[in-house]
Amino acid sequence: MHKLGCFVVDDRGDVQLGSSGQQPFHREIATSDDGTLKAIKEAGFIEWRVHEGHIRLRLRPSMISQQAHARVVSWFKHLQPQRVLLSYFAFDQWEYEYIQSTRETLRRLDELIELHGSLGPEGIRHRVRSENQLRKVGKFSLAVEYWRAHRDCFDPLTAKRTLDPILSGRWTLCEKFASGSFALSDFGKNNPVHARKWLHRAIGEPLSEAPDQQYVRACEKVYHDVARAFQPCHDEVDAMVTWPGHGRMRNRYQRLMLPFRTFGKSGHRATIRTWHLTATVCDRTVGLLD
């Protein structure tokens, strides 16, 4: 590693030359390039500055990706810096800590990620809302009324005609199979462009085939909980999601999840088909990552 320099690790783990590499190591955070600070706070980039055996690591634990984290860990494993200045952004402010060893730096980094971070299953944050709050979001309450009338006699085509205008075309429908997996069955045409490109290709495919496995695992866990309770669930979601062709994006939204089932017969045997409808409304006021 260079004795003097500034490097930026992006959300894919790729390395770029930072713009503030020649600044004195001891200068405050405000002296750094505004673009770099924005990338750290909003996209999960990590700044790595080296000055004569000292390292300053700057990051936002709730945003960093697995690839960026792995890159930094690999660098530390080959270094024995005299001192590390760890600068991290959490709860709308910068915090600073001086650390004396590589081992302690990695331990503290893991601690911050566990507390704030986006690498584990809790990185996709969600908060369940009350029924009173449900009435304040779009026409979610009308969708719940439909659920009450049709939860045990669900017909996808009929439901689509009724619910699509209520949910403004921002919904997805999945069917749950006996194996426990969910597969995409249909979706509203007013979902974001970056989502529709994947949704078109994913009809009939298990959600486990989605490109962002962490996001899918978190979603499926909640879907199973909703199916088990067989009750509507309204929550807020704040997540960093990777979309093919669009990279890693922050998604903040209100979400309504409705479980349905259809009773039928196959020969002399009773059958049950289980469905999961998810509706979303974008909400940039949601802030759960830190």
Side-chain angles (χ1 to χ4, degrees):
M1 184 56 60
H2 298 82
K3 292 184 178 181
L4 176 65
C6 179
F7 306 89
V8 176
V9 182
D10 67 21
D11 59 325
R12 296 173 298 182
D14 295 334
V15 182
Q16 307 163 22
L17 183 64
S19 60
S20 57
Q22 301 304 314
Q23 294 179 356
F25 180 76
H26 63 272
R27 292 184 64 181
E28 289 300 320
I29 191 93
T31 63
S32 285
D33 175 69
D34 288 342
T36 299
L37 289 181
K38 184 177 181 181
I40 292 170
K41 292 195 289 185
E42 298 181 12
F45 287 25
I46 301 175
E47 186 182 63
W48 171 284
R49 290 183 59 192
V50 183
H51 184 80
E52 300 296 337
H54 299 266
I55 294 172
R56 183 168 78 180
L57 192 65
R58 180 167 21 213
L59 53 92
R60 184 177 183 180
S62 62
M63 288 282 186
I64 65 173
S65 68
Q66 292 178 332
Q67 295 89 336
H69 175 256
R71 173 73 70 176
V72 168
V73 169
S74 70
W75 283 352
F76 267 120
K77 288 181 177 179
H78 298 284
L79 293 174
Q80 292 298 326
Q82 298 175 33
R83 184 177 63 173
V84 176
L85 172 58
L86 180 61
S87 305
Y88 61 92
F89 188 81
F91 301 114
D92 293 323
Q93 65 181 14
W94 289 99
E95 302 287 350
Y96 308 90
E97 297 179 12
Y98 278 108
I99 304 176
Q100 298 296 326
S101 71
T102 293
R103 176 180 294 181
E104 181 61 19
T105 300
L106 293 177
R107 186 202 66 77
R108 181 57 176 150
L109 187 57
D110 288 343
E111 188 175 78
L112 288 170
I113 290 171
E114 183 177 356
L115 180 63
H116 304 286
S118 59
L119 300 187
E122 294 304 315
I124 298 173
R125 305 295 174 89
H126 75 110
R127 177 170 58 194
V128 176
R129 312 305 286 164
S130 70
E131 187 173 343
N132 289 334
Q133 292 164 319
L134 176 76
R135 300 189 182 98
K136 301 176 183 178
V137 182
K139 297 180 180 178
F140 277 5
S141 58
L142 295 179
V144 172
E145 289 179 13
Y146 183 90
W147 172 83
R148 291 194 178 104
H150 301 88
R151 56 190 168 186
D152 289 323
C153 55
F154 183 72
D155 176 64
L157 292 178
T158 303
K160 178 178 180 177
R161 288 193 292 267
T162 303
L163 291 175
D164 190 73
I166 290 176
L167 301 175
S168 302
R170 290 184 61 95
W171 55 272
T172 58
L173 179 66
C174 292
E175 184 173 3
K176 183 182 178 184
F177 295 123
S179 64
S181 63
F182 289 88
L184 183 67
S185 177
D186 203 351
F187 62 93
K189 300 305 185 287
N190 199 32
N191 283 291
V193 172
H194 58 266
R196 291 202 308 270
K197 287 184 177 179
W198 174 75
L199 290 168
H200 276 293
R201 299 193 299 267
I203 291 291
E205 296 292 329
L207 291 185
S208 58
E209 299 297 321
D212 194 323
Q213 291 296 301
Q214 178 182 332
Y215 180 68
V216 166
R217 285 195 299 271
C219 287
E220 284 196 311
K221 181 181 183 302
V222 179
Y223 291 3
H224 281 291
D225 292 342
V226 171
R228 192 177 303 112
F230 204 68
Q231 290 292 325
C233 180
H234 168 216
D235 62 3
E236 296 177 342
V237 178
D238 192 347
M240 297 296 294
V241 186
T242 300
W243 293 100
H246 294 268
R248 199 160 171 261
M249 304 170 64
R250 187 178 185 185
N251 289 257
R252 292 180 280 180
Y253 52 90
Q254 302 275 344
R255 176 173 64 176
L256 175 65
M257 294 171 287
L258 301 172
F260 292 94
R261 57 194 174 198
T262 305
F263 293 93
K265 281 189 176 182
S266 177
H268 297 290
R269 186 177 61 180
T271 61
I272 301 176
R273 297 180 70 182
T274 304
W275 311 84
H276 181 99
L277 183 86
T278 299
T280 61
V281 172
C282 289
D283 187 349
R284 291 184 177 276
T285 67
V286 174
L288 305 177
L289 285 183
D290 290 319

